[in-house]
């Protein structure tokens, strides 16, 4: 029933579940002589199943058992990922912490802007305070780090747990899911930027995942090109174009052009932005196809690339189309992909400069 195995009615009024289709999830069972009045015959074989007869389908406990076992398998997978994450975090010297699942809405808006209301679960608590479920760990960890006056810097903190997003459930997007997170607080430099990305690569290695590509970029680099092309430093324009670039992985070129033409942007300039965003490769490969001399942050991005290569992280490339979506990102950004899958970014991160 609904993927649980073939349940059918035989002429002798026996009901069976196809054993081969269910051995991975259930012990096989059969229900004999199930009448249409929903009562269950006494000669039901073990394990007993509370069910009712409806067009040859056995429902009820079977479906609940399927969901229960599905949840158990998900919990086992989550436990495996968590253990591998903790092992990797320990090697890199990160201390584990799980922040509160509830945050003040005003704090989240200060981080991500008023538009974040549309992307999270928010409500009023019994004290009439506007609160929300966490959508990541950064706010809670930052609050902890700034409140600890004796905290030795740089501080390396890791987290693993559930987060909530008010999103339309679909492939690769859920309203509740487990997320891993690492943060380094302090007066940081290029070495710490490289360490965050190296951690990501080593974690995937520990999960024995193959075909992983890590794309890196610098927001300042994209910002400088946008400012030059549109001859403007307006924040609203900058954020709009950043969002257009971020949509390249999710929408077709024509869809993006049509959407932003309606907003009054020049199609010719949008074309150039989209062409710019498709540049990817090693520093030498990009320099062969584009004059990078006027781009802010290019030298810094190249230094990061070579630092990662020196650390043995070979599955990296520069990708001008990686900007991440949130407006507060200001420095290096990166995303990881499975090159054999269309799932989208498996990991995303940024290095903040404040």
């Amino acid at each position: 029933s609904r993927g649980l195995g073939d349940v059918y009615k035989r002429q002798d009024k026996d009901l069976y579940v196809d054993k081969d289709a269910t051995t991975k999830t259930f012990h096989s069972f059969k229900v004999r002589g199930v009448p249409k009045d929903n009562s269950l015959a006494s000669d039901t074989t073990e394990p007993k199943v509370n069910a009712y007869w409806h067009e040859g389908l056995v429902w009820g406990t079977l479906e609940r058992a399927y969901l229960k076992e599905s949840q158990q398998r998900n919990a086992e997978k989550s436990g495996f990922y968590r253990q591998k994450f903790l092992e990797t975090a320990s090697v890199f010297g990160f201390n584990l912490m799980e922040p509160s699942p509830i945050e003040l809405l005003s704090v989240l808006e200060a981080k991500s802007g008023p538009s974040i209301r549309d992307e999270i679960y928010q409500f009023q608590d019994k004290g009439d305070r506007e609160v929300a479920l966490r959508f990541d760990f950064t706010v809670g960890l930052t609050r902890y780090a700034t409140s600890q006056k004796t905290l030795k810097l740089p501080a390396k903190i890791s987290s693993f747990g559930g987060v909530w997003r008010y999103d339309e459930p679909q492939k690769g997007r859920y309203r509740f899911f487990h997320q891993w997170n690492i943060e380094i607080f302090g007066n940081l430099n290029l070495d710490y930027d490289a360490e965050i990305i190296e951690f990501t690569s080593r974690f995937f290695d520990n999960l024995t995942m193959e075909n992983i590509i890590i794309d890196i970029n610098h927001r300042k680099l994209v910002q400088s090109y946008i400012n030059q092309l549109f001859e403007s430093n307006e924040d609203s324009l900058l954020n709009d174009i950043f969002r257009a670039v971020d949509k390249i992985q999710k929408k077709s070129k024509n869809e993006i052009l049509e959407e932003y033409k309606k907003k009054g942007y020049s199609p010719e300039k949008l074309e150039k932005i989209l062409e710019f965003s498709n540049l990817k490769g090693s520093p030498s490969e990009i320099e062969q196809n584009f004059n990078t001399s006027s781009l802010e942050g290019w030298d810094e991005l190249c230094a990061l690339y070579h630092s990662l290569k020196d650390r043995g992280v070979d599955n990296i490339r520069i990708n001008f189309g990686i900007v991440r979506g949130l407006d507060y990102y200001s420095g290096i950004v990166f995303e990881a992909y499975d090159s054999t899958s269309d799932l989208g970014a498996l990991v995303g991160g940024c290095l903040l400069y404040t």
Side-chain angles (χ1 to χ4, degrees):
S1 172
R2 296 187 177 179
L4 306 180
D6 291 331
V7 183
Y8 56 92
K9 181 182 179 183
R10 293 171 31 142
Q11 288 184 352
D12 59 0
K13 297 183 180 180
D14 287 357
L15 291 175
Y16 291 85
V17 173
D18 180 0
K19 182 178 179 180
D20 293 336
T22 60
T23 49
K24 291 184 178 180
T25 306
F26 307 102
H27 297 294
S28 63
F29 71 90
K30 62 180 179 178
V31 180
R32 289 186 178 275
V34 181
K36 294 185 179 181
D37 62 2
N38 295 346
S39 61
L40 194 62
S42 60
D43 63 342
T44 303
T45 59
E46 294 294 334
K48 291 184 178 180
V49 177
N50 297 322
Y52 64 88
W53 167 254
H54 177 66
E55 297 181 357
L57 300 179
V58 177
W59 293 35
T61 300
L62 177 58
E63 291 194 355
R64 291 195 294 273
Y66 174 79
L67 291 174
K68 182 177 181 180
E69 186 143 345
S70 177
Q71 291 169 351
Q72 182 179 349
R73 290 198 305 271
N74 288 338
E76 290 172 354
K77 288 181 181 179
S78 176
F80 170 76
Y81 298 142
R82 186 177 192 275
Q83 183 59 38
K84 291 299 182 182
F85 171 73
L86 294 179
E87 291 173 3
T88 311
S90 177
V91 170
F92 280 80
F94 284 85
N95 296 311
L96 182 67
M97 176 191 168
E98 182 172 344
S100 169
I102 296 179
E103 299 285 351
L104 289 174
L105 180 60
S106 59
V107 175
L108 298 182
E109 287 182 322
K111 174 195 175 187
S112 306
S115 61
I116 196 64
R117 286 173 173 261
D118 298 330
E119 303 172 19
I120 60 177
Y121 284 93
Q122 52 165 311
F123 51 93
Q124 282 192 333
D125 66 9
K126 293 181 179 180
D128 292 330
R129 292 166 296 193
E130 287 192 305
V131 296
L133 298 178
R134 69 186 180 201
F135 65 91
D136 68 9
F137 296 107
T138 300
V139 170
L141 294 181
T142 302
R143 181 175 57 252
Y144 169 79
T146 55
S147 66
Q148 303 299 306
K149 305 302 180 184
T150 60
L151 187 66
K152 184 178 179 180
L153 300 177
K156 301 166 71 174
I157 306 176
S158 63
S159 295
F160 188 104
V163 295
W164 294 262
R165 303 281 177 94
Y166 189 76
D167 206 343
E168 187 68 28
Q170 56 189 286
K171 182 180 178 181
R173 288 185 177 271
Y174 306 96
R175 289 183 170 178
F176 173 79
F177 54 93
H178 285 84
Q179 178 173 298
W180 62 268
N181 185 83
I182 54 174
E183 308 268 358
I184 303 179
F185 297 93
N187 187 15
L188 309 180
N189 54 40
L190 183 68
D191 289 335
Y192 292 108
D193 296 353
E195 182 176 356
I196 292 285
I197 300 172
E198 182 188 3
F199 177 101
T200 302
S201 180
R202 302 303 177 217
F203 179 43
F204 281 123
D205 289 343
N206 288 342
L207 292 173
T208 65
M209 294 182 67
E210 301 177 345
N211 307 306
I212 301 298
I213 297 294
I214 301 177
D215 285 336
I216 61 175
N217 198 14
H218 202 307
R219 292 267 293 201
K220 187 164 55 177
L221 181 150
V222 182
Q223 178 177 339
S224 66
Y225 182 71
I226 293 173
N227 290 342
Q228 294 170 26
L229 181 63
F230 286 88
E231 300 178 334
S232 173
N233 293 316
E234 291 184 10
D235 288 340
S236 59
L237 180 145
L238 184 64
N239 291 333
D240 262 357
I241 303 304
F242 267 133
R243 292 191 184 95
V245 174
D246 190 51
K247 291 179 180 181
I248 290 175
Q249 307 292 336
K250 311 174 186 73
K251 292 186 175 183
S252 69
K253 175 182 175 181
N254 288 336
E255 286 177 320
I256 296 173
L257 289 174
E258 188 64 29
E259 176 182 347
Y260 280 79
K261 277 169 57 179
K262 292 178 180 178
K263 294 183 178 182
Y265 289 102
S266 163
E268 292 77 17
K269 292 182 178 180
L270 285 171
E271 287 269 9
K272 290 184 178 180
I273 283 291
L274 297 182
E275 290 175 8
F276 173 85
S277 303
N278 283 323
L279 291 169
K280 56 178 71 74
S282 66
S284 59
E285 289 171 337
I286 290 178
E287 287 174 338
Q288 290 175 5
N289 295 291
F290 192 86
N291 181 5
T292 60
S293 60
S294 63
L295 298 178
E296 295 181 38
W298 173 247
D299 291 341
E300 187 178 344
L301 186 59
C302 290
L304 174 63
Y305 178 91
H306 293 302
S307 176
L308 288 166
K309 287 290 186 178
D310 291 341
R311 292 167 178 257
V313 181
D314 295 321
N315 56 331
I316 57 167
R317 67 181 177 184
I318 294 174
N319 184 342
F320 284 177
I322 301 299
V323 295
R324 306 292 292 154
L326 297 177
D327 297 342
Y328 65 87
Y329 289 166
S330 58
I332 296 291
V333 289
F334 68 94
E335 291 182 349
Y337 297 86
D338 179 345
S339 61
T340 64
S341 170
D342 61 353
L343 188 60
L346 304 177
V347 174
C350 67
L351 294 309
L352 302 182
Y353 305 98
T354 56

